[in-house]
Amino acid sequence: IFQKVKARWPIYVVDAPVVLDVPLATGEHAAVFVLPYPHRTGFVSHGVAKSDVIQAADQALDVIFMDAAGQLTDARKRGRLTLMIAHANITGAVASTGQPQIGMEISISQAHLARLGPILKLFSHIHKPQEIGGAHFIGSICRLSWGEVEAKRFLVAEINADSTYTLESRTIVCPARYHVEGTLTRDDFDW
């Protein structure tokens, strides 16, 4: 439904990896490699055995990143700013609870990321802000579970004509979550 919103600046919704040409308020254009969450079901529905999905996805992502790198290089030659935006896991990411990701979901590797060069790579999916292999997990803007005790933030990015960039992290004040134990009945709450 967001694609149907009529506004000066369109909302892009993608269901497959793509490099978009996006007009900017400055009059410039950006080539944005967009990677939606890679679902296991897509591989399984195409006949890949469940036990082989992670390896098959890694190989597919390698091809996708090679193609995106080529498109972004061509876009830079045409004077476009280049960056990547993704909703995915990166190998080595750590959840808010301190638990490292252990390879049970499709993940982007540092080798995949390196194919794109030193451009801005922004990720969502992991709620804890962190930098891995030149990519930045923005983090969630509020606490969505009790394990999220880290400071919340948003990022301001400035991208230069040569696609180098700077990031400024700005803290968002948000309340902690509390776990309350007790028994709720129709008459009372027993702490």
Side-chain angles (χ1 to χ4, degrees):
I1 193 165
F2 292 115
Q3 289 175 311
K4 296 179 181 180
V5 173
K6 301 294 182 197
R8 181 172 181 174
W9 306 109
I11 297 171
Y12 299 91
V13 179
V14 302
D15 60 3
V18 65
V19 176
L20 297 173
D21 184 60
V22 178
L24 304 175
T26 61
E28 298 170 289
H29 280 249
V32 184
F33 172 36
V34 183
L35 180 70
Y37 185 78
H39 290 278
R40 292 169 150 287
T41 54
F43 288 90
V44 174
S45 68
H46 282 86
V48 176
K50 288 181 183 180
S51 60
D52 296 334
V53 166
I54 301 299
Q55 182 179 358
D58 185 66
Q59 292 169 356
L61 285 165
D62 203 38
V63 173
I64 289 166
F65 273 76
M66 280 190 278
D67 180 59
Q71 290 184 59
L72 293 175
T73 297
D74 290 344
R76 268 191 303 283
K77 289 176 183 175
R78 294 191 318 274
R80 302 294 197 242
L81 302 176
T82 56
L83 67 143
M84 176 192 186
I85 298 174
H87 184 118
N89 190 39
I90 300 173
T91 303
V94 176
S96 297
T97 59
Q99 174 68 42
Q101 304 303 294
I102 56 172
M104 299 304 293
E105 69 177 300
I106 296 170
S107 298
I108 308 307
S109 72
Q110 290 190 31
H112 298 139
L113 295 169
R115 290 194 180 283
L116 303 180
I119 66 167
L120 178 60
K121 302 170 198 90
L122 295 174
F123 277 69
S124 64
H125 184 56
I126 302 295
H127 296 189
K128 181 178 182 176
Q130 58 199 284
E131 186 271 330
I132 301 171
H136 303 270
F137 275 109
I138 298 167
S140 58
I141 60 171
C142 64
R143 290 181 174 89
L144 299 168
S145 74
W146 288 277
E148 294 184 37
V149 295
E150 70 275 351
K152 297 303 178 179
R153 68 170 184 179
F154 67 94
L155 294 177
V156 176
E158 183 176 323
I159 305 174
N160 303 310
D162 63 357
S163 290
T164 59
Y165 63 92
T166 57
L167 287 178
E168 179 185 345
S169 178
R170 296 191 183 168
T171 302
I172 298 172
V173 177
C174 61
R177 288 185 164 238
Y178 295 98
H179 182 81
V180 178
E181 291 189 35
T183 304
L184 179 64
T185 66
R186 290 183 184 269
D187 301 320
D188 199 7
F189 183 81
D190 183 20
W191 296 88

